[in-house]
Each structure stands twice: as structure tokens, then as C-alpha cells.
Amino acid sequence: MPSQVVEILSAQELRRTLTRMTTQVIEKARDLSKLGLVGIHTKGVPLAQLMARQIELLEQVEVPVGALDITFYRDDLDRIGLRTPAKTDIPFDVSGKTIVLVDDVIYKGRTVRAALNAVIEYGRPEAIWLAVLVDRGHRELPIHPDFTGKQLPTAKEEQVRVYLQNIDGRDAVELIKS
């Protein structure tokens, strides 16, 4: 039986959702000079960059953005095999800042756990918040996003795919039903 693809967010809905999430971050942060965004490779990085641009447009404040690879912090390397890590680049001191970890999809929570461990190695943030575009449920760890674009209950065998213009040539979120 072929897979069924269901569009969850169109390009316009994705942009609106990111704007809403960014506004929520601005409201909660209050002092944007102490804010830093860190995207989790792969799709979290461009999402963090888009959020930073939105903050600059809305508040005329430049928020630093970093990119985080969590490969060596994963607890399932024995199951997934060797991977070539992406480059972690956090070009600012995280100590004393409010760090917003940004990712495209949260599922079991293990990627976020690894990201928390990785960020702590760069300093001691005042707080770490989590912003995810899609929360598909099925958590195995007690991790919950502070900012969620879309709650999407899924079956375990389903997949959520996020497409971004600068990587994939289009903006969309799709649910792949097996």
C-alpha cells in the first residue's frame, strides 16, 4: 500500500505559525539583549535564523543565532550507526543568557535531551527554553516545549516532514501515513 501524504501546514500557514511563535518568544523574554537562539541541526538551524530575522523586523534588535549538532550527545549511536556530524557554531557566550533551542519536530524528546547536554558544555545559561514547529507526541522523556507551532497527534509509524524554502525549495509541513 503506497504512503499517503497529508499537508499539515502550507507555506503561508508555516510563515504565520513561525511569526506567532516568535511573538510568543518576544513576549516571554522581555529583555531581548539577553536572548540567544540555537537551532538544532538540521532544520532547527534555518528555523532559528528565520525567528531571529522576525525579531529584528518586529523589535529592531539583533539576536545572536547558533547552530548545534548533537551527534556525540545521542544515546542511540549504537542503533543509528556512524554519522558525519554537522558543524556546531555558537558564536556567542551562552552564560547568563536565555537560550531558545529551536527544532522542527519533537517526538520522543531524546534529541532535546542531547541538545541540553551539549548547550551546557558551552556555559551556564540563565534559562533554556524550547521552541518546536511541530509536536507529534509520543514522549519518552519528561520534556515539553515552551513554544509550539502545531500540536499534531500521530501514530508511531507515521512521519512528519518539514520542508523549508532555502533547503528544499518550498515551505510546507507534511504528514506521511504508511
mmCIF file of all heavy atoms in Angstrom, residues 55-94:
data_model
loop_
_atom_site.group_PDB
_atom_site.id
_atom_site.type_symbol
_atom_site.label_atom_id
_atom_site.label_comp_id
_atom_site.label_asym_id
_atom_site.label_seq_id
_atom_site.Cartn_x
_atom_site.Cartn_y
_atom_site.Cartn_z
ATOM 1 N N ILE A 55 12.424 38.676 14.771
ATOM 2 C CA ILE A 55 12.656 39.524 15.953
ATOM 3 C C ILE A 55 13.244 40.851 15.519
ATOM 4 O O ILE A 55 12.837 41.916 15.999
ATOM 5 C CB ILE A 55 13.562 38.808 16.976
ATOM 6 C CG1 ILE A 55 12.819 37.619 17.591
ATOM 7 C CG2 ILE A 55 14.028 39.787 18.069
ATOM 8 C CD1 ILE A 55 13.685 36.700 18.450
ATOM 9 N N GLU A 56 14.189 40.806 14.586
ATOM 10 C CA GLU A 56 14.804 42.048 14.105
ATOM 11 C C GLU A 56 13.770 42.936 13.414
ATOM 12 O O GLU A 56 13.747 44.155 13.620
ATOM 13 C CB GLU A 56 15.966 41.730 13.171
ATOM 14 C CG GLU A 56 16.795 42.954 12.840
ATOM 15 C CD GLU A 56 18.079 42.622 12.108
ATOM 16 O OE1 GLU A 56 18.372 41.431 11.879
ATOM 17 O OE2 GLU A 56 18.782 43.579 11.752
ATOM 18 N N LEU A 57 12.896 42.339 12.612
ATOM 19 C CA LEU A 57 11.847 43.116 11.937
ATOM 20 C C LEU A 57 10.854 43.710 12.929
ATOM 21 O O LEU A 57 10.455 44.870 12.804
ATOM 22 C CB LEU A 57 11.084 42.234 10.943
ATOM 23 C CG LEU A 57 11.768 41.906 9.641
ATOM 24 C CD1 LEU A 57 10.971 40.857 8.865
ATOM 25 C CD2 LEU A 57 11.944 43.160 8.797
ATOM 26 N N LEU A 58 10.450 42.925 13.904
ATOM 27 C CA LEU A 58 9.422 43.371 14.849
ATOM 28 C C LEU A 58 9.952 44.298 15.933
ATOM 29 O O LEU A 58 9.261 45.220 16.366
ATOM 30 C CB LEU A 58 8.752 42.151 15.511
ATOM 31 C CG LEU A 58 7.964 41.232 14.583
ATOM 32 C CD1 LEU A 58 7.584 39.944 15.310
ATOM 33 C CD2 LEU A 58 6.732 41.935 14.037
ATOM 34 N N GLU A 59 11.182 44.046 16.397
ATOM 35 C CA GLU A 59 11.708 44.760 17.564
ATOM 36 C C GLU A 59 12.971 45.574 17.297
ATOM 37 O O GLU A 59 13.476 46.237 18.199
ATOM 38 C CB GLU A 59 11.993 43.756 18.693
ATOM 39 C CG GLU A 59 10.775 42.990 19.154
ATOM 40 C CD GLU A 59 9.750 43.880 19.837
ATOM 41 O OE1 GLU A 59 10.144 44.757 20.634
ATOM 42 O OE2 GLU A 59 8.545 43.702 19.569
ATOM 43 N N GLN A 60 13.503 45.492 16.082
ATOM 44 C CA GLN A 60 14.744 46.169 15.726
ATOM 45 C C GLN A 60 15.899 45.806 16.667
ATOM 46 O O GLN A 60 16.723 46.641 17.045
ATOM 47 C CB GLN A 60 14.570 47.708 15.695
ATOM 48 C CG GLN A 60 13.680 48.235 14.594
ATOM 49 C CD GLN A 60 12.201 47.932 14.848
ATOM 50 O OE1 GLN A 60 11.685 48.259 15.902
ATOM 51 N NE2 GLN A 60 11.542 47.312 13.889
ATOM 52 N N VAL A 61 15.945 44.533 17.042
ATOM 53 C CA VAL A 61 17.009 44.011 17.897
ATOM 54 C C VAL A 61 17.603 42.793 17.208
ATOM 55 O O VAL A 61 16.870 41.909 16.768
ATOM 56 C CB VAL A 61 16.460 43.590 19.288
ATOM 57 C CG1 VAL A 61 17.543 42.913 20.120
ATOM 58 C CG2 VAL A 61 15.876 44.776 20.021
ATOM 59 N N GLU A 62 18.945 42.779 17.101
ATOM 60 C CA GLU A 62 19.630 41.625 16.533
ATOM 61 C C GLU A 62 19.870 40.607 17.631
ATOM 62 O O GLU A 62 20.530 40.905 18.619
ATOM 63 C CB GLU A 62 20.968 42.046 15.932
ATOM 64 C CG GLU A 62 20.943 42.095 14.425
ATOM 65 C CD GLU A 62 22.315 42.336 13.843
ATOM 66 O OE1 GLU A 62 23.164 41.428 13.903
ATOM 67 O OE2 GLU A 62 22.506 43.444 13.329
ATOM 68 N N VAL A 63 19.330 39.425 17.456
ATOM 69 C CA VAL A 63 19.515 38.338 18.420
ATOM 70 C C VAL A 63 20.517 37.357 17.826
ATOM 71 O O VAL A 63 20.365 36.939 16.669
ATOM 72 C CB VAL A 63 18.161 37.640 18.702
ATOM 73 C CG1 VAL A 63 18.348 36.415 19.590
ATOM 74 C CG2 VAL A 63 17.185 38.609 19.341
ATOM 75 N N PRO A 64 21.540 36.973 18.592
ATOM 76 C CA PRO A 64 22.521 36.035 18.046
ATOM 77 C C PRO A 64 21.914 34.656 17.829
ATOM 78 O O PRO A 64 21.032 34.219 18.565
ATOM 79 C CB PRO A 64 23.617 35.995 19.123
ATOM 80 C CG PRO A 64 22.961 36.434 20.374
ATOM 81 C CD PRO A 64 21.851 37.367 19.973
ATOM 82 N N VAL A 65 22.431 33.979 16.789
ATOM 83 C CA VAL A 65 21.938 32.655 16.420
ATOM 84 C C VAL A 65 23.116 31.691 16.353
ATOM 85 O O VAL A 65 24.160 32.017 15.786
ATOM 86 C CB VAL A 65 21.223 32.683 15.051
ATOM 87 C CG1 VAL A 65 20.735 31.290 14.656
ATOM 88 C CG2 VAL A 65 20.074 33.663 15.063
ATOM 89 N N GLY A 66 22.919 30.513 16.916
ATOM 90 C CA GLY A 66 23.921 29.468 16.852
ATOM 91 C C GLY A 66 23.352 28.219 16.212
ATOM 92 O O GLY A 66 22.135 28.075 16.058
ATOM 93 N N ALA A 67 24.242 27.307 15.851
ATOM 94 C CA ALA A 67 23.857 26.024 15.261
ATOM 95 C C ALA A 67 24.475 24.920 16.101
ATOM 96 O O ALA A 67 25.657 24.975 16.441
ATOM 97 C CB ALA A 67 24.365 25.943 13.821
ATOM 98 N N LEU A 68 23.666 23.923 16.430
ATOM 99 C CA LEU A 68 24.113 22.876 17.346
ATOM 100 C C LEU A 68 23.950 21.502 16.708
ATOM 101 O O LEU A 68 22.860 21.145 16.253
ATOM 102 C CB LEU A 68 23.274 22.946 18.631
ATOM 103 C CG LEU A 68 23.635 22.004 19.764
ATOM 104 C CD1 LEU A 68 25.018 22.340 20.324
ATOM 105 C CD2 LEU A 68 22.591 22.122 20.872
ATOM 106 N N ASP A 69 25.049 20.737 16.687
ATOM 107 C CA ASP A 69 24.980 19.342 16.264
ATOM 108 C C ASP A 69 25.037 18.486 17.526
ATOM 109 O O ASP A 69 25.904 18.676 18.372
ATOM 110 C CB ASP A 69 26.144 18.981 15.350
ATOM 111 C CG ASP A 69 26.074 17.523 14.946
ATOM 112 O OD1 ASP A 69 25.308 17.208 14.028
ATOM 113 O OD2 ASP A 69 26.760 16.694 15.578
ATOM 114 N N ILE A 70 24.107 17.555 17.649
ATOM 115 C CA ILE A 70 24.005 16.759 18.880
ATOM 116 C C ILE A 70 24.492 15.323 18.682
ATOM 117 O O ILE A 70 24.315 14.484 19.571
ATOM 118 C CB ILE A 70 22.550 16.774 19.416
ATOM 119 C CG1 ILE A 70 21.531 16.347 18.347
ATOM 120 C CG2 ILE A 70 22.199 18.135 19.933
ATOM 121 C CD1 ILE A 70 21.054 14.964 18.515
ATOM 122 N N THR A 71 25.140 15.042 17.565
ATOM 123 C CA THR A 71 25.539 13.673 17.231
ATOM 124 C C THR A 71 26.234 12.970 18.395
ATOM 125 O O THR A 71 25.879 11.853 18.757
ATOM 126 C CB THR A 71 26.456 13.656 15.991
ATOM 127 O OG1 THR A 71 25.740 14.186 14.888
ATOM 128 C CG2 THR A 71 26.919 12.247 15.663
ATOM 129 N N PHE A 72 27.242 13.592 19.009
ATOM 130 C CA PHE A 72 28.034 12.927 20.043
ATOM 131 C C PHE A 72 27.349 12.913 21.406
ATOM 132 O O PHE A 72 27.888 12.365 22.359
ATOM 133 C CB PHE A 72 29.418 13.552 20.130
ATOM 134 C CG PHE A 72 30.207 13.377 18.856
ATOM 135 C CD1 PHE A 72 30.632 14.468 18.134
ATOM 136 C CD2 PHE A 72 30.486 12.103 18.349
ATOM 137 C CE1 PHE A 72 31.336 14.304 16.948
ATOM 138 C CE2 PHE A 72 31.183 11.942 17.171
ATOM 139 C CZ PHE A 72 31.609 13.045 16.474
ATOM 140 N N TYR A 73 26.173 13.499 21.494
ATOM 141 C CA TYR A 73 25.418 13.521 22.744
ATOM 142 C C TYR A 73 24.223 12.560 22.690
ATOM 143 O O TYR A 73 23.490 12.427 23.659
ATOM 144 C CB TYR A 73 24.927 14.939 23.047
ATOM 145 C CG TYR A 73 26.070 15.895 23.234
ATOM 146 C CD1 TYR A 73 26.607 16.579 22.153
ATOM 147 C CD2 TYR A 73 26.632 16.103 24.491
ATOM 148 C CE1 TYR A 73 27.668 17.454 22.313
ATOM 149 C CE2 TYR A 73 27.694 16.972 24.657
ATOM 150 C CZ TYR A 73 28.210 17.641 23.572
ATOM 151 O OH TYR A 73 29.272 18.494 23.737
ATOM 152 N N ARG A 74 24.027 11.910 21.564
ATOM 153 C CA ARG A 74 22.892 10.995 21.393
ATOM 154 C C ARG A 74 23.095 9.742 22.238
ATOM 155 O O ARG A 74 24.225 9.303 22.445
ATOM 156 C CB ARG A 74 22.742 10.604 19.922
ATOM 157 C CG ARG A 74 22.394 11.784 19.028
ATOM 158 C CD ARG A 74 22.235 11.333 17.597
ATOM 159 N NE ARG A 74 21.109 10.426 17.510
ATOM 160 C CZ ARG A 74 19.945 10.730 16.938
ATOM 161 N NH1 ARG A 74 19.764 11.907 16.405
ATOM 162 N NH2 ARG A 74 18.963 9.848 16.892
ATOM 163 N N ASP A 75 22.000 9.147 22.663
ATOM 164 C CA ASP A 75 22.077 7.911 23.436
ATOM 165 C C ASP A 75 21.743 6.688 22.573
ATOM 166 O O ASP A 75 21.593 5.586 23.092
ATOM 167 C CB ASP A 75 21.162 7.966 24.662
ATOM 168 C CG ASP A 75 19.687 8.117 24.316
ATOM 169 O OD1 ASP A 75 19.333 8.139 23.120
ATOM 170 O OD2 ASP A 75 18.882 8.235 25.253
ATOM 171 N N ASP A 76 21.664 6.892 21.252
ATOM 172 C CA ASP A 76 21.298 5.784 20.370
ATOM 173 C C ASP A 76 22.289 5.597 19.220
ATOM 174 O O ASP A 76 21.947 5.031 18.183
ATOM 175 C CB ASP A 76 19.893 5.995 19.808
ATOM 176 C CG ASP A 76 19.764 7.268 18.978
ATOM 177 O OD1 ASP A 76 20.728 8.062 18.935
ATOM 178 O OD2 ASP A 76 18.693 7.479 18.390
ATOM 179 N N LEU A 77 23.535 6.028 19.410
ATOM 180 C CA LEU A 77 24.529 5.888 18.346
ATOM 181 C C LEU A 77 24.753 4.426 17.968
ATOM 182 O O LEU A 77 25.020 4.116 16.807
ATOM 183 C CB LEU A 77 25.858 6.525 18.748
ATOM 184 C CG LEU A 77 25.926 8.048 18.635
ATOM 185 C CD1 LEU A 77 27.238 8.569 19.172
ATOM 186 C CD2 LEU A 77 25.713 8.497 17.203
ATOM 187 N N ASP A 78 24.598 3.526 18.937
ATOM 188 C CA ASP A 78 24.772 2.111 18.632
ATOM 189 C C ASP A 78 23.685 1.589 17.693
ATOM 190 O O ASP A 78 23.911 0.661 16.922
ATOM 191 C CB ASP A 78 24.806 1.283 19.922
ATOM 192 C CG ASP A 78 23.553 1.449 20.771
ATOM 193 O OD1 ASP A 78 22.916 2.525 20.715
ATOM 194 O OD2 ASP A 78 23.209 0.505 21.500
ATOM 195 N N ARG A 79 22.502 2.213 17.726
ATOM 196 C CA ARG A 79 21.395 1.779 16.867
ATOM 197 C C ARG A 79 21.383 2.478 15.515
ATOM 198 O O ARG A 79 20.979 1.901 14.516
ATOM 199 C CB ARG A 79 20.053 2.029 17.568
ATOM 200 C CG ARG A 79 19.809 1.059 18.682
ATOM 201 C CD ARG A 79 18.369 1.050 19.140
ATOM 202 N NE ARG A 79 17.678 2.301 18.962
ATOM 203 C CZ ARG A 79 17.084 2.994 19.920
ATOM 204 N NH1 ARG A 79 17.108 2.553 21.145
ATOM 205 N NH2 ARG A 79 16.459 4.119 19.669
ATOM 206 N N ILE A 80 21.776 3.761 15.478
ATOM 207 C CA ILE A 80 21.675 4.511 14.220
ATOM 208 C C ILE A 80 22.941 4.443 13.375
ATOM 209 O O ILE A 80 22.932 4.822 12.216
ATOM 210 C CB ILE A 80 21.301 5.991 14.455
ATOM 211 C CG1 ILE A 80 22.393 6.717 15.232
ATOM 212 C CG2 ILE A 80 19.961 6.096 15.142
ATOM 213 C CD1 ILE A 80 22.221 8.206 15.282
ATOM 214 N N GLY A 81 24.036 3.983 13.962
ATOM 215 C CA GLY A 81 25.281 3.864 13.217
ATOM 216 C C GLY A 81 26.048 5.171 13.137
ATOM 217 O O GLY A 81 25.632 6.197 13.671
ATOM 218 N N LEU A 82 27.185 5.115 12.475
ATOM 219 C CA LEU A 82 28.039 6.290 12.356
ATOM 220 C C LEU A 82 27.380 7.356 11.484
ATOM 221 O O LEU A 82 26.758 7.040 10.475
ATOM 222 C CB LEU A 82 29.392 5.912 11.761
ATOM 223 C CG LEU A 82 30.311 5.100 12.665
ATOM 224 C CD1 LEU A 82 31.567 4.713 11.901
ATOM 225 C CD2 LEU A 82 30.663 5.873 13.917
ATOM 226 N N ARG A 83 27.554 8.585 11.896
ATOM 227 C CA ARG A 83 27.057 9.730 11.134
ATOM 228 C C ARG A 83 28.168 10.756 11.038
ATOM 229 O O ARG A 83 28.992 10.873 11.937
ATOM 230 C CB ARG A 83 25.882 10.397 11.862
ATOM 231 C CG ARG A 83 24.648 9.594 11.875
ATOM 232 C CD ARG A 83 23.538 10.401 12.487
ATOM 233 N NE ARG A 83 22.277 9.764 12.141
ATOM 234 C CZ ARG A 83 21.115 10.228 12.470
ATOM 235 N NH1 ARG A 83 21.013 11.336 13.150
ATOM 236 N NH2 ARG A 83 20.028 9.595 12.115
ATOM 237 N N THR A 84 28.130 11.526 9.982
ATOM 238 C CA THR A 84 29.063 12.632 9.877
ATOM 239 C C THR A 84 28.419 13.824 10.565
ATOM 240 O O THR A 84 27.349 14.282 10.146
ATOM 241 C CB THR A 84 29.343 12.972 8.396
ATOM 242 O OG1 THR A 84 29.844 11.799 7.763
ATOM 243 C CG2 THR A 84 30.339 14.098 8.288
ATOM 244 N N PRO A 85 29.038 14.293 11.644
ATOM 245 C CA PRO A 85 28.425 15.410 12.358
ATOM 246 C C PRO A 85 28.462 16.696 11.535
ATOM 247 O O PRO A 85 29.366 16.912 10.728
ATOM 248 C CB PRO A 85 29.272 15.569 13.620
ATOM 249 C CG PRO A 85 30.364 14.575 13.540
ATOM 250 C CD PRO A 85 30.241 13.808 12.274
ATOM 251 N N ALA A 86 27.445 17.525 11.759
ATOM 252 C CA ALA A 86 27.439 18.869 11.178
ATOM 253 C C ALA A 86 28.295 19.752 12.089
ATOM 254 O O ALA A 86 28.750 19.318 13.143
ATOM 255 C CB ALA A 86 26.010 19.387 11.095
ATOM 256 N N LYS A 87 28.476 20.978 11.697
ATOM 257 C CA LYS A 87 29.322 21.875 12.480
ATOM 258 C C LYS A 87 28.499 22.586 13.552
ATOM 259 O O LYS A 87 27.489 23.212 13.252
ATOM 260 C CB LYS A 87 29.968 22.903 11.561
ATOM 261 C CG LYS A 87 30.981 23.793 12.258
ATOM 262 C CD LYS A 87 31.659 24.695 11.254
ATOM 263 C CE LYS A 87 32.841 25.428 11.790
ATOM 264 N NZ LYS A 87 32.649 26.349 12.831
ATOM 265 N N THR A 88 28.930 22.455 14.798
ATOM 266 C CA THR A 88 28.344 23.259 15.864
ATOM 267 C C THR A 88 29.023 24.620 15.823
ATOM 268 O O THR A 88 30.250 24.711 15.760
ATOM 269 C CB THR A 88 28.552 22.592 17.244
ATOM 270 O OG1 THR A 88 27.750 21.419 17.301
ATOM 271 C CG2 THR A 88 28.143 23.525 18.376
ATOM 272 N N ASP A 89 28.230 25.665 15.824
ATOM 273 C CA ASP A 89 28.755 27.031 15.790
ATOM 274 C C ASP A 89 27.869 27.896 16.669
ATOM 275 O O ASP A 89 26.770 28.281 16.258
ATOM 276 C CB ASP A 89 28.770 27.547 14.350
ATOM 277 C CG ASP A 89 29.298 28.968 14.257
ATOM 278 O OD1 ASP A 89 30.073 29.394 15.145
ATOM 279 O OD2 ASP A 89 28.927 29.673 13.298
ATOM 280 N N ILE A 90 28.340 28.155 17.869
ATOM 281 C CA ILE A 90 27.626 29.055 18.777
ATOM 282 C C ILE A 90 28.555 30.245 18.989
ATOM 283 O O ILE A 90 29.444 30.217 19.842
ATOM 284 C CB ILE A 90 27.255 28.354 20.100
ATOM 285 C CG1 ILE A 90 26.395 27.133 19.799
ATOM 286 C CG2 ILE A 90 26.527 29.327 21.031
ATOM 287 C CD1 ILE A 90 25.996 26.308 21.003
ATOM 288 N N PRO A 91 28.369 31.310 18.181
ATOM 289 C CA PRO A 91 29.320 32.428 18.156
ATOM 290 C C PRO A 91 29.080 33.475 19.246
ATOM 291 O O PRO A 91 29.416 34.639 19.070
ATOM 292 C CB PRO A 91 29.096 33.022 16.761
ATOM 293 C CG PRO A 91 27.649 32.771 16.497
ATOM 294 C CD PRO A 91 27.354 31.440 17.153
ATOM 295 N N PHE A 92 28.503 33.056 20.357
ATOM 296 C CA PHE A 92 28.261 33.982 21.468
ATOM 297 C C PHE A 92 28.339 33.201 22.768
ATOM 298 O O PHE A 92 28.211 31.974 22.784
ATOM 299 C CB PHE A 92 26.903 34.680 21.318
ATOM 300 C CG PHE A 92 25.726 33.734 21.246
ATOM 301 C CD1 PHE A 92 25.019 33.384 22.384
ATOM 302 C CD2 PHE A 92 25.323 33.196 20.027
ATOM 303 C CE1 PHE A 92 23.939 32.506 22.318
ATOM 304 C CE2 PHE A 92 24.236 32.327 19.947
ATOM 305 C CZ PHE A 92 23.545 31.979 21.097
ATOM 306 N N ASP A 93 28.578 33.909 23.860
ATOM 307 C CA ASP A 93 28.660 33.284 25.175
ATOM 308 C C ASP A 93 27.245 32.992 25.668
ATOM 309 O O ASP A 93 26.418 33.910 25.760
ATOM 310 C CB ASP A 93 29.384 34.231 26.140
ATOM 311 C CG ASP A 93 29.629 33.613 27.503
ATOM 312 O OD1 ASP A 93 29.330 32.413 27.692
ATOM 313 O OD2 ASP A 93 30.115 34.336 28.387
ATOM 314 N N VAL A 94 26.949 31.744 25.977
ATOM 315 C CA VAL A 94 25.616 31.379 26.435
ATOM 316 C C VAL A 94 25.419 31.677 27.920
ATOM 317 O O VAL A 94 24.286 31.727 28.403
ATOM 318 C CB VAL A 94 25.292 29.887 26.159
ATOM 319 C CG1 VAL A 94 25.397 29.573 24.678
ATOM 320 C CG2 VAL A 94 26.152 28.955 26.983
#
